[in-house]
Each structure stands twice: as structure tokens, then as C-alpha cells.
Amino acid sequence: MKTDVQIAQEAKMQPIAQVAEKLGITGDELELYGNHKAKVSLSVLKDNQDKPDGKLILVTAINPTPAGEGKTTTNVGLSMALNYIGKKTITTLREPSLGPCFGVKGGAAGGGYAQVVPMDDINLHFTGDFHAITAAHSLLAALLDNHLHQGNLLNIDMDRIVWRRVVDMNDRALRMITVGQGSRANGVQRETGYDITVASEIMAILCLASSLTDLKERLGRMIIAYNTEGKAVTAADLEASGAMALLLKDAIKPNLVQTLENTPAFIHGGPFANIAHGCNSVLATRTALKLADYVVTEAGFGADLGAEKFFDIKCRYAELKPNAVVIVATVRALKMNGGVVKTELSTENVAAVELGSANLIQHLENLQKFKVPVVVALNKFPTDTEAEFAAVKKACENKNVKVILSDVFSQGGKGGEELAREVVKLCDMGESQYQPLYPLELPLEKKIETIATEIYRADGVEYEPDAKKQLDEIVALGFDHLPVCMAKTQYSFSDDQTLLGAPQDFNIHVKEVRLSAGAGFVVVITGAIMTMPGLPKVPAANGMDITEDGEIIGLS
């Protein structure tokens, strides 16, 4: 089979204006970035606000493994399959970060014959949204250090500055730095550091904002430091929100592209799911719901992270009522959860599938707590056997959940026809009964405990002394009403990435608690989570190149 890049480069793309026209988006509502990419005006949502919403389908997955699950591939393939059976559908996805693209994870445009295109542009600079977010974040950092240099009129406590810098690259050397070295003209010397751009609170804000006005208000509420009296100092105190919003005036508009089969795709925003809320923008999702009968979206990493945050954070703020959930798994990944090493995954092992299915079952039980109907999409691999398929189906029968084989990777939309028909059936069951896991009125510590015990199945939560102090301070500041954004390893239900399957008899260990007042949630950092990833020994970037005639090599 051809590589993803080869398939993408051979795609017969329609002019993006033609794709937009099928959705009823006119030329003056479209800002073209060449022939195959465009920004969609915010007026489209406003002009269609009285239209009923389409059906919203969430695609999530089991905990990721090196064996591969194919969540984005399923998202794209399902949207194409729904169009294949005659349903007007849009897919909505996050934008890929350059860090993982050049590191180890690769891009985020799907795979095989279920991709969004132009894949190379989407995985690289795209329409410049991440650069704009990086610039806005850097502007606030510069204004903060300039304020300190100019006399610190806000009496900022130098030991309580929480605003770091960001860059959209995996660069471990920047985790801790010292700024202001040299003469006094270079500013006030202090220790700080870098996070990756997708961990920026501005990224989360862009993806949760409902309008440009809402964006500015959220930017102004961001806490950058605390003063010597312990009171929060915000971006509004530095009079920075207007200038930041100016840098984000184009980035806030959803990006329109297409799949290999010309299904419209909104790709907008990209917060990480293990250190942020892991969902594409509210504006893209809400716009898509007004323009299509079915909207397929996704949440990052496994359902314990992405789906929980989608339901408890994004759906709350956007007032979304999802109609169905697709959870993606593979026989290979379930065997790995059952203890099989990667080199042995091609050998039939029904016992390992049965053992590893505990991971899938726990996710199914968790998803059912949100009162949204679920179907399992089992991505096919050539080495899978009928006995292994049967083992997965049997494991899910007790939960009254259907398992459907999906082959969108090699067949495109046609390979997801059965899955699409089942999704339509779930969506037609009546009004959405969605409900969040916890009420916002619940005390902050109780919300954390609820997620840890109900979703991760931990015995309890342990706090490091500094984390408990931070939690108490957030409550004292009056932010006890916010939802929780758990930062945890994506590889396990626990905070130990080596514990696969459905681990038991463990506690969740909270290292740090951060307040994202602008985004509107409290970030709870557990285990060994890094907000600035590093590159592997052999980065994916080492295998990338471009030829004289523009052929891209090694991008995936």
C-alpha cells in the first residue's frame, strides 16, 4: 500500500471555494489561503444561529499504545462514510503541533485513504494559527518583563510569577531558563521556562471562546503572577488583552479544508489532551453543527482524558449535547494491553485479547456514565483473525455495546459504511440524554476525587504539600466553581504509564495545581507530566526532506 504522503499528494482535491459552496458559505464569508485552504468568517455562525443543530458524534479511543489505534483515521473515515450513505456531514479536528510532528507521534491528518488534505500543509504551518498564539503569548511575557524592568508598579512578587514562555517545538533544553542576564538594561534577572505552544492557556482560550469579545474577556482574566499581598495579577492589569486579541483576529476563525473524498473538514485549534482539554475549537464545532446534518468530532488521547474533558469542559461551555460516541480500538492494541510485546502482535493470541479487553470495557463503562450511546469501531489490520474479533465482540456484549469492524484506512468511506449506519441509528434514538460527570457546585477537591475514582478507578488522591497549598489558595480566590482539567499520562488509567489494561489498587498523585482563570478550568498535574516535551533519540525530523520539485519525504 502507498504511504500516507503518497496517497495525500495524489488526492483529487476540489477548490476550497467549491467545498464551501456545498455548505452554503459564500465567497465574501471565505478568506482563501491558496486553492485548498480557507478561513471561514465568524459571521457564518451568527447568520445561521437560528438553524437547528445537526447531530454531534464524538470519536474517542482506548489508551494509546505503540501498536496504534487510529482515532483520527476513524474520525475522518466515519465522516466520509456518512457522506457515502447520503448524510450531509462535516468533520471537525484539532490542528497538529509541530513538536510531535518532528518528534515521535507524527502528524494528525488521519491515515491511508482516510485523511484530510492538503496533509503536508495541515501538519506544518497551515494557516499560521499556532504562530499567532505563540506571538500573543510571547507579547504578554514581554509586557510582563518590561513592567518589572520599568519599576514593578503592580508590586508583583518575583517568586510568584506563573506566566512562562512557549514555542511550538519539543525542546527540553528550554524547560528552565534564566532571563535578564547581563547588565540592568537587559531587564530583571529571574528564572522562568518554556512550555510547548499547545499547553498555552491562550490555546485553550481560543478553543473555548464563543466570540471575539469573549476571547478578549478571557485573555484579560488570565493570571500571570501574584503580588506581594497574595492577590492575582492578570493580563488585564497589564492592559495586554486588546493587543493579544489583535494578534489572534485571524486565528480565531475556523479553517476549512477537505478529506480525500472531498468531505468538508474544519480543523481549528489544538490543545494537548494530557496537559490541556484536548478538543478543537467551540467556534468550529458550533459552526459545523449549523451547516451539516452530522458533525464528527474527536477528543485527544484515550477516553479517560479526551472524552472526559470533552464532556465536562467543552460541552458545558459550548452548551453541546452529543448524540453518540464512537470508541476506537484495534486487536493489536488490546493484545498489547494484555501483555504481548510489540514484536509478537502479528501472532494470534485470543487469551491476550480477552485480557487486554479490560481496558476497552472500563472505557465503555465510563462513557456510559455520561448517558450518551456508544459503539466500538475496531480498526482492521491484515494480521487480525476471526477468533480475535470474536473475543472483542464477546467482551462488549455484556455492556450491550455493538462492535463494528472498520476498514476506512484501506477503503476510505466505503470501508466505514456499516459503522456509519450504526452511528445514524444511535443518533436517531431520540433527544440527547447527555449529562456531565459532576456538578460544578461540587467542591474542587471533590471534583478531582470524582474523576480519579469514577474514571481512573483509583482508590484515592494524594497531594504533595505544595499542590494542596495551591488548591486551597484557588478555593480562597473564589474559583472553586470551575471544572477540572486533569493532566495525566495518556498511556494508562493510572498516573504510571507502565500500568496497562485496567489497573487496580493505586492512588492518583497530584504534584501541582494551576489556575487557568481565562480558559475557565483548574489544571491538576499528576505523575510525571511535562508541559515541554523532549525529542526522542532519533526524532522523526531526521527522516524528513523535500526534493527540488516539491515532493515531501518522511512526513506522516
Side-chain angles (χ1 to χ4, degrees):
M1 185 170 167
K2 296 176 181 177
T3 66
D4 289 352
V5 175
Q6 289 172 326
I7 293 170
Q9 290 178 335
E10 293 174 2
K12 295 179 180 178
M13 289 184 281
Q14 294 177 350
I16 200 62
Q18 186 175 331
V19 176
E21 187 178 358
K22 291 187 292 186
L23 298 174
I25 301 173
T26 60
D28 59 349
E29 297 170 324
L30 210 60
E31 298 174 14
L32 298 177
Y33 283 65
N35 292 326
H36 302 115
K37 299 175 292 182
K39 285 279 186 184
V40 174
S41 172
L42 300 185
S43 65
V44 172
L45 176 58
K46 184 178 180 181
D47 293 345
N48 289 277
Q49 61 184 351
D50 294 331
K51 288 185 177 180
D53 285 348
K55 304 291 188 180
L56 181 60
I57 302 128
L58 172 68
V59 176
T60 185
I62 63 172
N63 293 97
T65 68
E69 292 71 43
K71 176 161 52 64
T72 303
T73 300
T74 300
N75 175 301
V76 176
L78 174 58
S79 70
M80 297 192 307
L82 286 164
N83 272 313
Y84 180 79
I85 64 172
K87 307 297 183 181
K88 186 178 182 181
T89 307
I90 299 174
T91 180
T92 61
L93 296 163
R94 292 177 297 163
E95 300 177 50
S97 166
L98 290 178
C101 282
F102 292 118
V104 65
K105 183 176 180 291
Y113 288 92
Q115 295 186 58
V116 280
V117 285
M119 180 265 259
D120 49 351
D121 288 356
I122 293 166
N123 279 326
L124 297 175
H125 302 287
F126 202 21
T127 57
D129 292 345
F130 283 23
H131 300 312
I133 291 166
T134 303
H137 191 113
S138 299
L139 171 61
L140 183 55
L143 290 170
L144 169 61
D145 278 301
N146 182 63
H147 179 84
L148 299 175
H149 176 68
Q150 301 296 345
N152 191 12
L153 297 180
L154 293 173
N155 295 318
I156 291 172
D157 185 341
M158 296 295 294
D159 293 326
R160 300 205 62 197
I161 295 172
V162 296
W163 194 254
R164 291 158 58 89
R165 285 166 162 79
V166 299
V167 63
D168 191 28
M169 201 59 62
N170 292 4
D171 194 347
R172 63 171 56 84
L174 294 177
R175 287 172 184 163
M176 294 298 298
I177 63 168
T178 302
V179 296
Q181 295 188 65
S183 69
R184 293 183 62 184
N186 295 339
V188 177
Q189 184 168 318
R190 65 183 184 89
E191 289 187 351
T192 182
Y194 275 80
D195 296 329
I196 192 167
T197 296
V198 287
S200 168
E201 186 177 355
I202 296 176
M203 175 67 81
I205 286 173
L206 184 88
C207 289
L208 290 171
S210 59
S211 65
L212 189 57
T213 298
D214 185 37
L215 176 79
K216 286 192 287 187
E217 291 174 353
R218 288 174 177 270
L219 291 172
R221 293 199 298 266
M222 291 190 303
I223 295 173
I224 57 173
Y226 295 87
N227 66 18
T228 53
E229 296 178 354
K231 295 181 180 179
V233 179
T234 66
D237 292 328
L238 284 182
E239 301 179 349
S241 49
M244 285 190 289
L246 186 60
L247 287 171
L248 298 169
K249 68 179 180 65
D250 294 317
I252 193 175
K253 301 170 186 174
N255 305 299
L256 178 65
V257 287
Q258 62 192 292
T259 72
L260 290 172
E261 296 179 7
N262 313 120
T263 296
F266 282 127
I267 301 185
H268 192 218
F272 263 17
N274 58 351
I275 49 181
H277 71 286
C279 303
N280 71 286
S281 77
V282 163
L283 283 168
T285 302
R286 289 177 61 185
T287 301
L289 286 168
K290 297 299 183 183
L291 300 176
D293 298 325
Y294 293 84
V295 173
V296 184
T297 191
E298 76 170 14
F301 291 132
D304 57 321
L305 288 172
E308 185 273 316
K309 295 171 186 178
F310 171 81
F311 287 126
D312 285 325
I313 297 176
K314 180 175 178 177
C315 288
R316 285 188 204 266
Y317 281 121
E319 298 181 344
L320 301 174
K321 293 184 177 180
N323 301 92
V325 180
V326 177
I327 183 163
V328 181
T330 62
V331 164
R332 291 165 56 85
L334 294 176
K335 283 195 283 192
M336 186 163 273
N337 270 286
V340 177
V341 297
K342 190 175 181 180
T343 55
E344 301 295 326
L345 292 177
S346 297
T347 303
E348 182 181 85
N349 192 330
V350 175
V353 173
E354 293 172 341
L355 184 62
S357 291
N359 184 272
L360 172 59
I361 296 304
Q362 186 163 309
H363 282 298
L364 289 177
E365 292 172 347
N366 290 346
L367 290 169
Q368 289 172 334
K369 294 176 182 180
F370 296 99
K371 307 300 183 184
V372 181
V374 186
V375 61
V376 174
L378 200 61
N379 271 333
K380 292 178 67 174
F381 276 78
T383 56
D384 299 341
T385 70
E386 290 298 326
E388 291 171 330
F389 290 148
V392 180
K393 290 180 179 180
K394 183 178 179 180
C396 295
E397 280 178 359
N398 293 332
K399 300 301 173 185
N400 295 316
V401 174
K402 196 167 185 178
V403 178
I404 294 178
L405 296 181
S406 173
D407 196 15
V408 295
F409 183 87
S410 59
Q411 294 188 50
K414 183 180 179 181
E417 181 178 355
E418 185 182 358
L419 178 62
R421 295 193 185 281
E422 179 64 19
V423 165
V424 170
K425 187 186 300 183
L426 294 180
C427 288
D428 288 344
M429 291 174 62
E431 290 294 317
S432 172
Q433 301 300 309
Y434 150 76
Q435 67 178 34
L437 183 68
Y438 55 81
L440 291 179
E441 298 76 28
L442 206 64
L444 193 54
E445 193 166 346
K446 193 66 177 176
K447 293 173 194 169
I448 297 168
E449 181 185 328
T450 298
I451 297 171
T453 57
E454 292 289 322
I455 302 298
Y456 309 151
R457 313 299 175 89
D459 295 330
V461 181
E462 297 177 0
Y463 293 87
E464 292 192 5
D466 285 347
K468 188 64 170 68
K469 182 179 177 182
Q470 292 159 349
L471 182 68
D472 292 341
E473 185 174 60
I474 290 169
V475 173
L477 287 169
F479 291 98
D480 201 31
H481 64 286
L482 294 180
V484 170
C485 181
M486 298 291 284
K488 180 185 71 68
T489 178
Q490 65 268 34
Y491 300 113
S492 172
F493 277 108
S494 74
D495 54 18
D496 179 353
Q497 67 176 25
T498 65
L499 299 180
L500 304 185
Q504 297 178 344
D505 303 321
F506 66 91
N507 286 330
I508 291 293
H509 305 89
V510 177
K511 293 173 56 180
E512 183 182 358
V513 183
R514 297 181 184 178
L515 174 57
S516 294
F521 51 67
V522 175
V523 181
V524 179
I525 299 177
T526 71
I529 290 295
M530 289 288 183
T531 51
M532 168 54 82
L535 292 170
K537 186 173 183 179
V538 182
N542 290 2
M544 296 181 188
D545 203 352
I546 184 168
T547 65
E548 184 66 30
D549 59 2
E551 180 186 356
I552 291 176
I553 299 168
L555 186 65
S556 63

